Amino acid sequence: MTSAASEGLLRRVHWRAAASGQLSLPAVPGMLDEYVAMCTGVFANVGRRFSDDELAHLRSVLEGELAQAFAGSPRSHVVVSYTAPIAGALDYHVKPEWWTVEGAYENWVATRQPPLFGTEPDARIWTLAHEAAEPSGCPVLDIGGGTGRNALALARRGHPVDVVEMTPKFAEQIRTEATAGGLDVRVIQRDVFTTINDLRRDYRLILLSEVVSDFRSTRQLRAIFELATQCLDPGGQLVFNVHLARNGYLPDDAARQFGQQAYTSIFTRGELRAAASGLPLHLVGDDSVHDYEQAHLPEGSWPPTGWYANWVSGLDVFAVSREESPIEMRWLVYRKPS
Protein backbone atom coordinates (compact mmCIF):
# COMPACT_ATOMS: atom_id res chain seq x y z
CA MET A 1 0.00 0.00 0.00
CA THR A 2 1.34 3.41 -0.91
CA SER A 3 2.07 6.05 1.71
CA ALA A 4 -0.82 8.17 0.48
CA ALA A 5 -3.17 5.21 0.69
CA SER A 6 -1.99 4.36 4.23
CA GLU A 7 -2.58 7.93 5.37
CA GLY A 8 -5.97 7.96 3.69
CA LEU A 9 -6.92 4.72 5.41
CA LEU A 10 -5.88 6.14 8.77
CA ARG A 11 -7.99 9.25 8.22
CA ARG A 12 -11.03 7.10 7.48
CA VAL A 13 -10.42 4.98 10.60
CA HIS A 14 -10.26 8.13 12.72
CA TRP A 15 -13.38 9.44 11.04
CA ARG A 16 -15.22 6.23 11.95
CA ALA A 17 -14.07 6.40 15.58
CA ALA A 18 -16.12 8.13 18.26
CA ALA A 19 -14.58 9.86 21.26
CA SER A 20 -15.60 11.93 24.24
CA GLY A 21 -13.98 13.23 27.37
CA GLN A 22 -13.01 16.29 29.36
CA LEU A 23 -9.99 18.21 30.57
CA SER A 24 -10.08 20.03 33.90
CA LEU A 25 -7.43 22.75 33.91
CA PRO A 26 -6.42 25.05 36.78
CA ALA A 27 -7.56 28.56 35.88
CA VAL A 28 -4.15 30.07 35.20
CA PRO A 29 -4.49 32.69 32.44
CA GLY A 30 -0.72 32.83 32.04
CA MET A 31 -0.77 29.20 30.85
CA LEU A 32 -3.04 29.94 27.87
CA ASP A 33 -0.52 28.81 25.23
CA GLU A 34 0.10 25.52 27.06
CA TYR A 35 -3.62 24.87 27.46
CA VAL A 36 -4.31 25.51 23.77
CA ALA A 37 -1.55 23.04 22.91
CA MET A 38 -2.97 20.46 25.34
CA CYS A 39 -6.47 20.72 23.90
CA THR A 40 -5.43 20.61 20.27
CA GLY A 41 -3.13 17.68 21.03
CA VAL A 42 -5.99 15.71 22.58
CA PHE A 43 -8.30 16.60 19.71
CA ALA A 44 -5.68 15.58 17.13
CA ASN A 45 -5.20 12.25 18.89
CA VAL A 46 -8.84 11.38 18.21
CA GLY A 47 -8.46 12.40 14.58
CA ARG A 48 -9.87 15.91 14.73
CA ARG A 49 -7.24 18.42 13.67
CA PHE A 50 -8.18 22.09 13.86
CA SER A 51 -7.84 24.63 11.09
CA ASP A 52 -6.22 27.99 11.81
CA ASP A 53 -9.65 29.59 12.22
CA GLU A 54 -10.82 26.85 14.59
CA LEU A 55 -7.61 27.16 16.57
CA ALA A 56 -8.04 30.93 16.90
CA HIS A 57 -11.61 30.44 18.13
CA LEU A 58 -10.51 27.85 20.71
CA ARG A 59 -7.83 30.22 21.94
CA SER A 60 -10.31 33.09 22.27
CA VAL A 61 -12.81 30.96 24.19
CA LEU A 62 -10.17 29.60 26.57
CA GLU A 63 -8.73 33.05 27.16
CA GLY A 64 -12.11 34.48 28.18
CA GLU A 65 -13.12 31.58 30.42
CA LEU A 66 -9.72 31.42 32.14
CA ALA A 67 -9.90 35.12 32.95
CA GLN A 68 -13.44 34.81 34.29
CA ALA A 69 -12.64 31.80 36.46
CA PHE A 70 -9.42 33.25 37.90
CA ALA A 71 -11.11 36.56 38.67
CA GLY A 72 -13.88 34.68 40.45
CA SER A 73 -11.63 32.69 42.78
CA PRO A 74 -8.11 31.29 43.14
CA ARG A 75 -9.78 27.91 43.65
CA SER A 76 -10.97 27.70 40.06
CA HIS A 77 -10.77 25.51 36.98
CA VAL A 78 -11.98 25.52 33.43
CA VAL A 79 -13.51 22.27 32.24
CA VAL A 80 -13.19 21.50 28.52
CA SER A 81 -15.72 18.83 27.50
CA TYR A 82 -15.62 17.37 24.01
CA THR A 83 -17.44 14.83 21.86
CA ALA A 84 -16.51 13.53 18.43
CA PRO A 85 -19.25 11.31 16.99
CA ILE A 86 -18.71 8.80 14.22
CA ALA A 87 -18.21 10.65 10.93
CA GLY A 88 -18.77 13.97 12.68
CA ALA A 89 -16.87 17.09 13.62
CA LEU A 90 -15.58 17.54 17.16
CA ASP A 91 -17.79 19.62 19.42
CA TYR A 92 -16.41 21.17 22.62
CA HIS A 93 -17.62 23.32 25.49
CA VAL A 94 -15.57 25.32 28.01
CA LYS A 95 -17.08 25.97 31.44
CA PRO A 96 -15.54 27.78 34.44
CA GLU A 97 -15.91 26.23 37.90
CA TRP A 98 -14.76 27.61 41.24
CA TRP A 99 -15.00 27.58 45.02
CA THR A 100 -14.89 30.61 47.24
CA VAL A 101 -11.95 30.51 49.67
CA GLU A 102 -14.25 29.80 52.60
CA GLY A 103 -16.11 27.23 50.51
CA ALA A 104 -12.84 25.45 49.73
CA TYR A 105 -12.03 25.18 53.43
CA GLU A 106 -15.57 24.04 54.22
CA ASN A 107 -14.94 21.26 51.71
CA TRP A 108 -11.71 20.40 53.54
CA VAL A 109 -13.72 19.95 56.72
CA ALA A 110 -16.22 17.70 54.93
CA THR A 111 -13.77 15.53 53.00
CA ARG A 112 -10.44 15.38 54.86
CA GLN A 113 -9.43 13.54 57.97
CA PRO A 114 -8.38 15.77 60.89
CA PRO A 115 -6.11 17.22 62.03
CA LEU A 116 -6.26 19.47 58.97
CA PHE A 117 -3.28 21.65 59.93
CA GLY A 118 -1.53 19.61 62.61
CA THR A 119 -2.08 19.37 66.35
CA GLU A 120 0.57 21.69 67.83
CA PRO A 121 0.65 25.49 67.75
CA ASP A 122 3.23 26.97 65.40
CA ALA A 123 6.63 26.96 67.10
CA ARG A 124 7.44 30.51 65.95
CA ILE A 125 4.22 31.87 67.43
CA TRP A 126 4.67 29.87 70.63
CA THR A 127 8.16 31.33 71.08
CA LEU A 128 6.87 34.89 70.67
CA ALA A 129 4.03 34.26 73.11
CA HIS A 130 6.51 33.04 75.72
CA GLU A 131 8.26 36.41 75.62
CA ALA A 132 5.33 37.61 77.75
CA ALA A 133 5.96 36.66 81.38
CA GLU A 134 2.33 37.40 82.26
CA PRO A 135 0.02 36.00 79.53
CA SER A 136 -3.09 37.71 80.92
CA GLY A 137 -1.50 41.05 80.05
CA CYS A 138 -0.66 39.97 76.51
CA PRO A 139 -3.85 39.99 74.39
CA VAL A 140 -3.60 38.22 71.04
CA LEU A 141 -5.41 38.65 67.72
CA ASP A 142 -5.43 35.51 65.56
CA ILE A 143 -6.44 36.41 61.99
CA GLY A 144 -7.70 33.41 60.06
CA GLY A 145 -7.65 31.12 63.08
CA GLY A 146 -8.64 28.00 61.14
CA THR A 147 -9.35 25.11 63.52
CA GLY A 148 -8.01 27.07 66.50
CA ARG A 149 -4.68 25.30 66.69
CA ASN A 150 -2.90 28.49 67.78
CA ALA A 151 -5.76 30.40 69.40
CA LEU A 152 -6.83 27.65 71.79
CA ALA A 153 -3.27 26.84 72.86
CA LEU A 154 -2.58 30.52 73.55
CA ALA A 155 -5.81 30.84 75.52
CA ARG A 156 -4.88 27.81 77.62
CA ARG A 157 -1.60 29.55 78.40
CA GLY A 158 -3.65 32.45 79.75
CA HIS A 159 -3.72 34.93 76.89
CA PRO A 160 -6.96 36.77 76.08
CA VAL A 161 -7.51 35.83 72.45
CA ASP A 162 -9.65 37.35 69.71
CA VAL A 163 -10.08 35.26 66.56
CA VAL A 164 -11.27 36.59 63.20
CA GLU A 165 -12.29 33.65 61.02
CA MET A 166 -14.50 33.79 57.93
CA THR A 167 -15.15 30.04 57.46
CA PRO A 168 -18.33 29.27 59.45
CA LYS A 169 -17.40 25.70 60.40
CA PHE A 170 -13.96 26.76 61.64
CA ALA A 171 -15.45 29.63 63.64
CA GLU A 172 -18.01 27.34 65.25
CA GLN A 173 -15.37 24.72 66.05
CA ILE A 174 -13.19 27.27 67.87
CA ARG A 175 -16.18 28.73 69.71
CA THR A 176 -17.36 25.29 70.86
CA GLU A 177 -13.93 24.19 72.13
CA ALA A 178 -13.30 27.52 73.85
CA THR A 179 -16.66 27.37 75.64
CA ALA A 180 -16.10 23.76 76.71
CA GLY A 181 -12.69 24.66 78.12
CA GLY A 182 -13.78 27.90 79.77
CA LEU A 183 -11.21 29.80 77.71
CA ASP A 184 -11.01 33.56 77.16
CA VAL A 185 -11.57 33.43 73.40
CA ARG A 186 -13.80 35.79 71.41
CA VAL A 187 -14.63 34.52 67.92
CA ILE A 188 -15.55 37.05 65.24
CA GLN A 189 -16.87 35.43 62.08
CA ARG A 190 -16.15 37.67 59.10
CA ASP A 191 -13.54 38.77 56.60
CA VAL A 192 -10.81 40.63 58.49
CA PHE A 193 -10.82 43.40 55.89
CA THR A 194 -14.45 44.37 56.53
CA THR A 195 -13.80 46.60 59.56
CA ILE A 196 -11.55 47.03 62.59
CA ASN A 197 -14.23 48.68 64.76
CA ASP A 198 -14.80 45.50 66.80
CA LEU A 199 -11.09 44.92 67.48
CA ARG A 200 -8.99 46.02 70.45
CA ARG A 201 -6.26 48.62 70.16
CA ASP A 202 -3.88 47.03 72.67
CA TYR A 203 -2.93 43.65 71.21
CA ARG A 204 0.58 42.57 72.11
CA LEU A 205 0.63 39.95 69.36
CA ILE A 206 -1.18 39.78 66.02
CA LEU A 207 -0.69 36.57 64.06
CA LEU A 208 -1.58 35.20 60.64
CA SER A 209 -0.60 31.57 60.20
CA GLU A 210 -1.09 30.03 56.74
CA VAL A 211 -3.28 33.01 55.78
CA VAL A 212 -1.14 35.28 53.57
CA SER A 213 -0.81 32.23 51.29
CA ASP A 214 -4.43 32.98 50.28
CA PHE A 215 -3.85 36.69 49.56
CA ARG A 216 -4.42 37.82 46.00
CA SER A 217 -2.73 41.22 45.99
CA THR A 218 -0.21 43.46 47.73
CA ARG A 219 -3.18 45.64 48.73
CA GLN A 220 -4.11 42.94 51.23
CA LEU A 221 -0.58 42.98 52.62
CA ARG A 222 -0.82 46.74 53.01
CA ALA A 223 -4.16 46.37 54.78
CA ILE A 224 -2.67 43.95 57.31
CA PHE A 225 0.22 46.32 58.04
CA GLU A 226 -2.27 49.18 58.49
CA LEU A 227 -4.44 47.05 60.79
CA ALA A 228 -1.39 46.15 62.89
CA THR A 229 -0.36 49.79 63.09
CA GLN A 230 -3.75 50.72 64.52
CA CYS A 231 -4.42 47.69 66.71
CA LEU A 232 -1.02 46.83 68.21
CA ASP A 233 -0.01 48.23 71.55
CA PRO A 234 3.36 50.04 71.43
CA GLY A 235 6.01 47.33 71.56
CA GLY A 236 3.56 44.74 70.20
CA GLN A 237 4.43 42.40 67.36
CA LEU A 238 2.90 41.23 64.08
CA VAL A 239 3.93 37.77 62.85
CA PHE A 240 2.94 35.99 59.66
CA ASN A 241 4.29 33.41 57.23
CA VAL A 242 4.54 34.16 53.52
CA HIS A 243 6.00 32.52 50.42
CA LEU A 244 8.83 34.79 49.27
CA ALA A 245 10.78 34.72 46.03
CA ARG A 246 14.46 33.97 46.61
CA ASN A 247 17.03 36.56 45.60
CA GLY A 248 17.37 36.73 41.83
CA TYR A 249 13.97 35.21 41.05
CA LEU A 250 11.13 37.39 39.73
CA PRO A 251 7.89 35.39 39.47
CA ASP A 252 5.96 35.81 36.25
CA ASP A 253 2.17 35.92 35.91
CA ALA A 254 1.85 32.17 35.36
CA ALA A 255 3.83 31.34 38.52
CA ARG A 256 1.86 33.82 40.63
CA GLN A 257 -1.49 32.64 39.27
CA PHE A 258 -0.72 28.97 39.71
CA GLY A 259 0.67 29.75 43.18
CA GLN A 260 -2.74 31.11 44.15
CA GLN A 261 -4.31 27.88 42.90
CA ALA A 262 -1.93 25.91 45.14
CA TYR A 263 -2.48 27.93 48.36
CA THR A 264 0.93 29.51 47.69
CA SER A 265 0.58 33.19 46.89
CA ILE A 266 4.04 34.49 45.99
CA PHE A 267 5.45 37.89 46.93
CA THR A 268 8.84 39.53 46.56
CA ARG A 269 10.77 41.30 49.29
CA GLY A 270 10.38 44.52 47.34
CA GLU A 271 6.60 44.13 47.45
CA LEU A 272 6.74 43.56 51.20
CA ARG A 273 8.84 46.67 51.74
CA ALA A 274 6.46 48.72 49.61
CA ALA A 275 3.42 47.36 51.50
CA ALA A 276 4.92 48.39 54.86
CA SER A 277 6.37 51.68 53.60
CA GLY A 278 5.74 54.70 55.81
CA LEU A 279 4.22 52.69 58.66
CA PRO A 280 5.76 52.43 62.14
CA LEU A 281 6.60 48.75 61.95
CA HIS A 282 10.14 47.38 61.99
CA LEU A 283 11.18 43.95 60.71
CA VAL A 284 12.82 42.15 63.64
CA GLY A 285 12.56 38.49 62.62
CA ASP A 286 13.01 36.61 59.34
CA ASP A 287 13.23 32.79 59.49
CA SER A 288 12.70 29.82 57.20
CA VAL A 289 9.38 28.24 58.19
CA HIS A 290 10.67 24.78 57.26
CA ASP A 291 13.84 25.07 59.31
CA TYR A 292 12.34 26.86 62.30
CA GLU A 293 9.39 24.52 62.73
CA GLN A 294 11.50 21.41 62.18
CA ALA A 295 13.95 22.56 64.84
CA HIS A 296 11.47 23.85 67.46
CA LEU A 297 8.29 21.77 67.30
CA PRO A 298 7.92 19.14 70.04
CA GLU A 299 9.53 15.79 69.30
CA GLY A 300 7.38 13.70 67.00
CA SER A 301 5.40 16.70 65.70
CA TRP A 302 7.42 17.31 62.52
CA PRO A 303 6.04 17.58 59.95
CA PRO A 304 2.65 18.83 61.21
CA THR A 305 0.91 17.21 58.21
CA GLY A 306 1.98 15.06 55.31
CA TRP A 307 1.82 18.00 52.89
CA TYR A 308 3.45 20.66 55.08
CA ALA A 309 7.18 20.25 54.32
CA ASN A 310 6.73 20.38 50.55
CA TRP A 311 4.21 23.21 50.74
CA VAL A 312 6.37 25.57 52.83
CA SER A 313 9.29 24.80 50.50
CA GLY A 314 7.34 25.91 47.41
CA LEU A 315 7.18 22.42 45.93
CA ASP A 316 3.41 22.52 45.43
CA VAL A 317 4.15 25.05 42.69
CA PHE A 318 7.55 23.90 41.41
CA ALA A 319 8.29 20.19 40.88
CA VAL A 320 11.98 20.50 41.81
CA SER A 321 14.15 19.68 44.80
CA ARG A 322 13.87 21.89 47.88
CA GLU A 323 17.29 23.38 47.12
CA GLU A 324 16.20 24.30 43.60
CA SER A 325 12.89 25.91 44.58
CA PRO A 326 12.85 29.64 43.70
CA ILE A 327 10.48 30.38 46.59
CA GLU A 328 10.20 29.44 50.25
CA MET A 329 7.89 30.29 53.12
CA ARG A 330 9.37 32.63 55.73
CA TRP A 331 8.27 33.67 59.21
CA LEU A 332 8.37 37.48 59.37
CA VAL A 333 8.05 39.39 62.63
CA TYR A 334 7.41 43.16 62.77
CA ARG A 335 7.46 45.26 65.94
CA LYS A 336 5.63 48.49 66.61
CA PRO A 337 8.01 50.89 68.40
CA SER A 338 7.37 51.55 72.09
Side-chain angles (χ1 to χ4, degrees):
M1 186 181 296
T2 66
S3 175
S6 296
E7 291 176 3
L9 173 62
L10 185 59
R11 285 195 295 272
R12 281 303 181 198
V13 169
H14 279 165
W15 197 241
R16 298 279 297 176
S20 64
Q22 69 176 33
L23 296 167
S24 182
L25 306 170
V28 180
M31 296 295 288
L32 175 62
D33 290 341
E34 177 66 21
Y35 290 167
V36 170
M38 289 174 64
C39 290
T40 55
V42 169
F43 300 163
N45 285 337
V46 296
R48 307 305 195 267
R49 297 185 182 278
F50 274 21
S51 68
D52 289 346
D53 287 344
E54 290 171 328
L55 184 61
H57 183 259
L58 170 64
R59 182 183 182 85
S60 176
V61 170
L62 278 173
E63 184 174 26
E65 298 298 345
L66 284 168
Q68 179 185 350
F70 184 73
S73 170
R75 309 289 177 262
S76 54
H77 287 72
V78 292
V79 178
V80 183
S81 304
Y82 65 90
T83 57
I86 293 175
L90 184 140
D91 182 38
Y92 66 87
H93 299 276
V94 183
K95 179 178 70 172
E97 296 181 348
W98 64 75
W99 297 88
T100 62
V101 172
E102 57 268 40
Y105 285 117
E106 291 270 357
N107 185 59
W108 276 36
V109 174
T111 61
R112 298 193 180 196
Q113 289 294 320
L116 298 181
F117 306 103
T119 58
E120 298 292 329
D122 291 303
R124 189 70 187 95
I125 291 168
W126 200 237
T127 298
L128 290 172
H130 275 73
E131 293 178 1
E134 181 48 61
S136 62
C138 181
V140 175
L141 173 61
D142 184 354
I143 297 174
T147 58
R149 179 173 51 89
N150 287 305
L152 295 169
L154 291 168
R156 292 187 187 103
R157 185 174 184 265
H159 296 269
V161 179
D162 286 349
V163 180
V164 178
E165 172 55 55
M166 68 179 182
T167 302
K169 288 186 179 179
F170 285 164
E172 183 57 31
Q173 180 176 335
I174 298 171
R175 191 178 289 115
T176 299
E177 291 192 35
T179 300
L183 301 175
D184 186 1
V185 177
R186 180 172 64 122
V187 180
I188 305 166
Q189 185 189 318
R190 62 171 175 80
D191 186 331
V192 70
F193 298 117
T194 303
T195 181
I196 64 169
N197 291 339
D198 51 0
L199 301 180
R200 300 172 61 145
R201 298 298 188 272
D202 64 345
Y203 295 111
R204 298 295 298 175
L205 182 63
I206 296 178
L207 68 97
L208 298 90
S209 176
E210 304 177 16
V211 172
V212 177
S213 51
D214 277 323
F215 282 8
R216 306 202 72 186
S217 71
T218 54
R219 291 191 300 275
Q220 291 172 293
L221 280 174
R222 177 70 180 187
I224 287 299
F225 285 127
E226 291 175 343
L227 182 152
T229 297
Q230 297 180 67
C231 295
L232 277 176
D233 203 38
Q237 297 182 104
L238 165 70
V239 57
F240 59 88
N241 46 18
V242 56
H243 284 93
L244 287 180
R246 295 184 189 272
N247 290 337
Y249 172 64
L250 184 63
D252 60 15
D253 287 346
R256 290 181 185 271
Q257 292 160 2
F258 184 66
Q260 291 185 27
Q261 292 281 0
Y263 301 83
T264 309
S265 294
I266 303 168
F267 296 96
T268 66
R269 290 190 178 274
E271 289 168 337
L272 274 172
R273 287 191 294 270
S277 176
L279 299 176
L281 295 169
H282 303 313
L283 182 65
V284 296
D286 185 343
D287 299 281
S288 162
V289 170
H290 181 285
D291 294 349
Y292 194 97
E293 298 300 308
Q294 185 179 42
H296 294 90
L297 279 172
E299 185 175 354
S301 299
W302 174 262
T305 66
W307 48 262
Y308 187 86
N310 280 350
W311 176 65
V312 299
S313 300
L315 306 189
D316 284 5
V317 178
F318 300 96
V320 297
S321 68
R322 181 168 177 252
E323 293 72 25
E324 294 172 316
S325 176
I327 65 173
E328 69 166 340
M329 187 172 244
R330 307 284 299 182
W331 279 119
L332 302 181
V333 183
Y334 292 81
R335 179 175 290 124
K336 182 177 180 179
S338 300

